[in-house]
Amino acid sequence: MTDSKYFTTTKKGEIFELKAELNSDKKEKKKEAVKKVIASMTVGKDVSALFPDVVNCMQTDNLELKKLVYLYLMNYAKSQPDMAIMAVNTFVKDCEDPNPLIRALAVRTMGCIRVDKITEYLCEPLRKCLKDEDPYVRKTAAVCVAKLHDINAQLVEDQGFLDTLKDLISDSNPMVVANAVAALSEIAESHPSSNLLDLNPQSINKLLTALNECTEWGQIFILDCLANYTPKDDREAQSICERVTPRLSHANSAVVLSAVKVLMKFMEMLSKDLDYYSTLLKKLAPPLVTLLSAEPELQYVALRNINLIVQKRPEILKHEMKVFFVKYNDPIYVKLEKLDIMIRLASQANIAQVLAELKEYATEVDVDFVRKAVRAIGRCAIKVEQSAERCVSTLLDLIQTKVNYVVQEAIVVIKDIFRKYPNKYESVIATLCENLDSLDEPEARAAMIWIVGEYAERIDNADELLESFLEGFHDESTQVQLQLLTAIVKLFLKKPTETQELVQQVLSLATQDSDNPDLRDRGYIYWRLLSTDPVAAKEVVLAEKPLISEETDLIEPTLLDELICYIGTLASVYHKPPSAFVEGGRGIVHKSLPPRTASSESTESPETAPAGAPPGEQPDVIPAQGDLLGDLLNLDLGPPVSGPPLATSSVQMGAVDLLGSGLDSLIGAPNFVAPPAAAVPANLGATVGSGLSDLFDLTSGVGTLSGSYVAPKTVWLPAMKAKGLEISGTFTRQVGSISMDLQLTNKALQVMTDFAIQFNRNSFGLAPAAPLQVHAPLSPNQTVESSLPLNTVGSVMKMEPLNNLQVAVKNNIDVFYFSTLYPLHILFVEDGKMDRQMFLATWKDIPNENEAQFQIRDCPLNAEAVSSRLQSSNIFTVAKRNVEGQDMLYQSLKLTNGIWVLAELRIQPGNPSLTLSLKCRAPEVSQHVYQAYETILEN
C-alpha cells in the first residue's frame, strides 16, 4: 500500500493520539506515527507541539525513521530553538556512527538547522566529518561548511574550516573535489575580496583530473571555477582548452554551456594563426547546433547564449545558417530569437538563402513575427551591400500585397535603406506615395514624411502630400509632428516660392498652438534661422547626413565581454550583467575576458582612467564656433527631463534664446527684466554688493569667511574665437551663494559695450541671478573683473557630461558661445550634514549596485586635516572610527537639487592613497563627486 493513506485522515484530537503513538514501545507503531506527523506537516498543519516526542524517536538504528525525524527537525528547529538543543547530543553521536549514510545524514541536517544557538555545538562533529574516511561523508560535509558560513561566517573562519575546504580540492575522490569547489565558490561570491579560490597550475591540474569522473553537476561547478582562472600564458590556456573540449559532447546542456564559456574565455589568449585555434572553432559549432534540437524552453536559453557567441565570434557558426531557419511549430519567442541570429550571420555567401526565407516569413499569420521579418529584410540590405537591390525589390513585392502592417514596416525600413545608400533607390518613391492613405502607425507616418521632405525636389506634389498630413496636425503623435515640421522646412528651403504659406502655417501650429516644449523649441529655432539667416538655415537643415551603421543593436563591447564570462547563467538570457537584476548583490564582481597575449594591448579600467581634465586645460566639450549651432539644434530632441516646477525669468533661457532674437531683451538695458526676488539668495546683496566693507566688519560675524575651494581662473573663450573678446573665469561658493567670477579682456581695436549673458538649460538649473555688471565701456587692451551671482532655479536638462554649462555672451559686436565644466562642489549646500541614524538607514536603503569605489592618490593629509578641508566645501563628517589601524570617515553632502550623497573615506596612516566609496540614488553623479573630492584634497 502507498503512503497516500497518511494524507487522508481528518480526525479530531489527532495530536493527542499521535503523542501516544510516538511514545509507544513498538518500533513499527513509532514509525507509522512519525510518517503521519510528516504528512500533517507537509499539508500545512502545525505539529510543533510534538517536538519533544519526535526528537525522542531519534535514538534508533532504523535509517528510514531517522531520515523522517531529521526532516521534522529541519522544519521546526527555527521556531523551537530551545528544544532543538535537545537534539545536539544525537547529532554528535550520529556523526560517529559506523554507517557512513547516517554520518552523512547527520552532517547534512546540521547544515540545514539555521539556529545560532546550536551552531557552535556542531563544529566538532563537522570537523571530524570533513576528515572522514568515507568520501560520501566528506562531500556532504564540504557543502555543510558553505551553509554554516551563511549562518555564521566568523565562526567558520575562526574554526579553520576554510583551510580544510581548500585541502579537499586535492582529495582523491572527484565528487569531494567538486563539492569543495562548489562550497568555496559559494563563499567567495559573498566575500569577493577574500581570494579563497587561490587557483594555480597545480590546483587547476587536480580540478581537470577530477572533471572526467564527476557527476554532471559536479562538472558544472568545476567548469565554472575554471572560467574564473586566468592562465599565465597561451600555452597553459591551450592545454586547459584541450582537456575541457571533451565536455562539449556531454548529454547535459548545462555542462555543454559551461564548457563553451571556458573555451570562449581562454580563446582570447590564443593566437588566431594557430592551427589549434581553427580546430577549436570547428569543434564549438556541433554542440551548439545540437542544443537546438531540445525542447523550446531549452532552445530559447541556447539561442540567447548563441546570440552572444555570434556577436563575439561569428566565424563559429557562419556555415550553420540552416539550423536557425524557423519551423512552423516553433513558439514565437524561439522564432524571434532565431530571426535575430539569422541577420547576425547573414553574409554575401548566404544572403540569397536568407532573403528567400525572410520573404516566406513575411506571409505568415503571426503579426509580430511578420513585422520582425520585414524589418530583418531591411537590416540585411544595410548589412550586406551587394544584396541591397534584391532586398529593395523583395520589399516592393511585399508592399504590393497591400497588407497594412507589412506595408508600414516596409516603409520604415526603406527609409533606413535610403539613409544607407543615398541617390540609389529613390525610383521607388512613387510606389511608396501610393500607400500614403493606408498609414496609421506613427513610426510609418513619420518615415513617410521624412522621405517626402528629404526628396521633395523629386516629388511633384510634395507640398500637397505634406499638407494632407498638416490637416490633423494636433491629433498626430509627437514623433510625427516633429518630423512634419522638419519636412516642411526642408521643402520650403528647396521650393521657397511655392511653399511660403505652408511653412508659416506649420511654424504657427508648432510654436503658438502647441504645448509640447520639444515641438515649440524646434519651431522657434527654425523660425529664427529662417528669418535671420536663410543661408545658415540651408546649411543646417539640409546638411549631408552621416550614413547609418549596419548593426545598431549590437551589445556594447565591454558588456559583451562581461556577458561571455556569464554564459550558461541567467545573465546570458537577460543580456544584462548580474548587478542589473540581482537585488542586494553585495558580492557581485564585474568579470572580463583575459587580455590577448599575442598583442600588447591592455584596456584601461574606468577606475584607473584619468578623471576629468586637469584644471589648467580647456575641457574638450567646447565645440567649434561653426558646430555649436548644429549641436544646439539637437538639444531639445530628447524627451524633456522631468523635475520640480521651476521659476522662470528672462535671464534663464532655453536653447531658443541662444540663437538670435531671444537676446533682443538683453540688447537694450531698459528692457531687461530682473529676476523675481525669491530667485536671489537673501545674503547675496551682502556678498556681492557691499564687498570689502563686510569682510572687515568683524562684528557681523562674516569676518572669518572661509568658503569652499576656488579653482584658479582658466580661459573659457579665447579672443581669436570671439572677435577680440577674451573671457576667463572660475566658479565660487561663499556662504550659500554661488557666483561665476569673470575676467573680460578686450584684445580688439574697438570699444566693447552692452554686455549681457545667458545660460542654456543644464543638469542642475544653474542660471544668472542678476544681469552681468560691466559698468564702463571696455576699451582696447583693458581688463575688467565681474562677479555674476547664480541661482539654481533655471530650466533643467540633463547634459553630457553632467556638469557641462553652455553660455552665450552678447556685446555691441556680436553674440558668442562657449562651453565650460563647473566643479560640482559649488552645488554642495550648507545643510548637508545628515544625522547618524539617518545616515545608517539611508546607506542600507540605497541598493548596492549604486555604490562606486575610487582611489584618491598622493594625499598626505591625516584624518583630521582631511575632514576639516572637506567641511569647508560642505562635505560633512557624520562619524569617525578606527578599524584595524585605518581611519574611517563617514560623510554626507547634499546637492542643490536635494540629492544626497553618502561617502565612506578610508585613510591608512602613512599611505598617501585614500579609498573613497560613494552611495547615491542617482549614481551618475558619483564620478563628479569623486572629482570634487580629488580637487579639494589636492589643492
Side-chain angles (χ1 to χ4, degrees), residues 775-879:
H775 296 295
L778 194 58
S779 306
N781 295 320
Q782 186 189 350
T783 297
V784 67
E785 305 266 343
S786 177
S787 185
L788 177 72
L790 306 180
N791 59 35
T792 52
V793 295
S795 299
V796 176
M797 181 175 77
K798 190 174 178 184
M799 300 296 285
E800 191 58 53
L802 210 60
N803 57 338
N804 188 8
L805 180 66
Q806 295 176 332
V807 183
V809 172
K810 173 215 147 279
N811 62 12
N812 59 327
I813 298 171
D814 205 346
V815 180
F816 308 108
Y817 306 100
F818 66 88
S819 174
T820 182
L821 298 177
Y822 50 90
L824 211 63
H825 65 260
I826 65 166
L827 304 172
F828 297 173
V829 296
E830 282 64 25
D831 62 343
K833 186 163 185 178
M834 197 180 258
D835 166 67
R836 281 187 182 207
Q837 295 304 111
M838 189 66 180
F839 182 95
L840 197 63
T842 311
W843 184 276
K844 286 179 181 172
D845 197 36
I846 296 173
N848 283 336
E849 55 264 30
N850 285 22
E851 186 172 349
Q853 203 171 68
F854 306 95
Q855 290 292 325
I856 299 172
R857 304 186 195 286
D858 304 323
C859 178
L861 305 174
N862 64 14
E864 278 71 26
V866 166
S867 180
S868 145
R869 186 172 287 191
L870 291 170
Q871 181 140 346
S872 68
S873 291
N874 296 338
I875 299 173
F876 299 96
T877 301
V878 176

Side-chain angles (χ1 to χ4, degrees), residues 230-245:
T230 305
K232 60 181 188 296
D233 55 27
D234 53 346
R235 285 185 60 190
E236 190 187 358
Q238 182 175 336
S239 154
I240 294 172
C241 287
E242 284 169 351
R243 294 177 71 178
V244 167
T245 311

Side-chain angles (χ1 to χ4, degrees), residues 745-773:
T745 305
N746 182 356
K747 295 190 175 180
L749 299 174
Q750 67 189 92
V751 175
M752 295 182 180
T753 57
D754 300 332
F755 283 93
I757 191 165
Q758 286 195 336
F759 295 175
N760 191 13
R761 297 194 295 171
N762 52 78
S763 306
F764 293 92
L766 275 177
L772 177 60
Q773 302 287 347

Side-chain angles (χ1 to χ4, degrees), residues 511-551:
T511 55
Q512 289 162 24
D513 303 347
S514 170
D515 55 1
N516 182 324
D518 290 347
L519 187 62
R520 222 171 34 232
D521 285 0
R522 196 188 286 195
Y524 277 126
I525 289 174
Y526 287 154
W527 201 318
R528 300 253 163 82
L529 268 175
L530 294 170
S531 56
T532 52
D533 192 348
V535 178
K538 209 162 190 171
E539 284 173 10
V540 171
V541 181
L542 301 180
E544 200 168 314
K545 288 160 195 63
L547 299 182
I548 59 174
S549 66
E550 55 181 61
E551 289 286 11

Side-chain angles (χ1 to χ4, degrees), residues 180-360:
V181 166
L184 283 170
S185 302
E186 180 88 18
I187 295 168
E189 267 181 29
S190 56
H191 292 69
S193 54
S194 58
N195 198 19
L196 284 175
L197 277 162
D198 186 16
L199 299 172
N200 53 44
Q202 291 72 38
S203 55
I204 289 293
N205 192 35
K206 287 170 186 163
L207 292 183
L208 287 165
T209 308
L211 186 62
N212 298 324
E213 300 165 42
C214 279
T215 64
E216 50 199 20
W217 298 111
Q219 291 181 27
I220 292 166
F221 289 133
I222 291 176
L223 287 167
D224 286 349
C225 179
L226 289 173
N228 293 329
Y229 174 64
T230 305
K232 60 181 188 296
D233 55 27
D234 53 346
R235 285 185 60 190
E236 190 187 358
Q238 182 175 336
S239 154
I240 294 172
C241 287
E242 284 169 351
R243 294 177 71 178
V244 167
T245 311
R247 300 298 106 217
L248 292 173
S249 53
H250 200 285
N252 185 323
S253 49
V255 176
V256 174
L257 284 176
S258 293
V260 168
K261 170 166 61 183
V262 176
L263 297 174
M264 285 292 289
K265 196 170 176 185
F266 291 175
M267 276 170 84
E268 282 294 300
M269 299 185 69
L270 303 179
S271 164
K272 291 191 175 183
D273 307 331
L274 283 175
D275 289 343
Y276 180 70
Y277 181 86
S278 49
T279 311
L280 197 52
L281 285 180
K282 286 176 191 161
K283 283 184 177 173
L284 275 169
L288 292 173
V289 169
T290 308
L291 291 176
L292 297 182
S293 53
E295 50 268 35
E297 292 79 9
L298 284 181
Q299 274 188 58
Y300 179 72
V301 173
L303 287 164
R304 292 294 281 174
N305 281 277
I306 288 169
N307 200 326
L308 295 174
I309 293 164
V310 166
Q311 286 184 53
K312 184 71 185 166
R313 299 194 187 281
E315 61 271 30
I316 293 177
L317 289 158
K318 65 180 178 188
H319 300 304
E320 303 292 344
M321 177 63 86
K322 278 194 171 173
V323 297
F324 298 107
F325 285 175
V326 170
K327 296 180 184 149
Y328 75 95
N329 57 351
D330 280 341
I332 183 70
Y333 54 89
V334 170
K335 285 180 175 177
L336 296 178
E337 211 52 48
K338 283 185 174 179
L339 204 53
D340 203 30
I341 295 169
M342 277 170 68
I343 300 159
R344 296 202 194 290
L345 291 175
S347 63
Q348 206 179 333
N350 57 24
I351 194 71
Q353 246 186 330
V354 173
L355 274 181
E357 262 315 282
L358 292 176
K359 192 173 179 183
E360 193 68 33

